[in-house]
Amino acid sequence: MPANKKHLSNSGQRILKITAGIIGGYIVTVLFHNAIGGLLQEKEGLIITSAYSSFILWAALIVLAFLSKNGWKIWGIYILLIVLFVSLIFISK
């Protein structure tokens, strides 16, 4: 049974969602863990904790991107998060 056309997104939105989920989600994940590392005083357990939590966060951001109806909105949210985490990194130094 073919899918109903009204529930499918066009190819431009699909490309925006894929790139936002994979590339944008990865950048947000890395910057989030760098910002957390910059704010912590003791960093002994940070590497092993971020190894597990980064995969979980990245997968959640990919799912969030695919659940969205608008790829531009997801890119906007991810860019705002990137700016927030970069500013936290520079403030903590």
Side-chain angles (χ1 to χ4, degrees):
M1 175 183 241
N4 194 347
K5 298 288 185 192
K6 70 178 181 180
H7 298 296
L8 299 175
S9 59
N10 60 11
S11 63
Q13 286 295 319
R14 199 173 320 133
I15 290 171
L16 283 171
K17 289 179 193 179
I18 291 170
T19 57
I22 295 173
I23 298 169
Y26 182 74
I27 293 170
V28 168
T29 301
V30 169
L31 289 175
F32 171 74
H33 284 90
N34 282 338
I36 294 295
L39 296 175
L40 293 177
Q41 297 296 324
E42 298 178 16
K43 300 175 181 157
E44 289 83 25
L46 182 66
I47 293 174
I48 193 68
T49 304
S50 66
Y52 295 115
S53 63
S54 63
F55 178 74
I56 294 169
L57 180 62
W58 188 35
L61 289 172
I62 289 173
V63 170
L64 180 70
F66 283 112
L67 288 176
S68 172
K69 296 213 182 269
N70 191 349
W72 290 111
K73 192 178 290 186
I74 282 295
W75 264 116
I77 292 169
Y78 286 176
I79 288 173
L80 286 174
L81 286 173
I82 288 169
V83 169
L84 174 75
F85 294 143
V86 166
S87 63
L88 282 175
I89 291 168
F90 282 120
I91 288 172
S92 68
K93 287 188 177 189

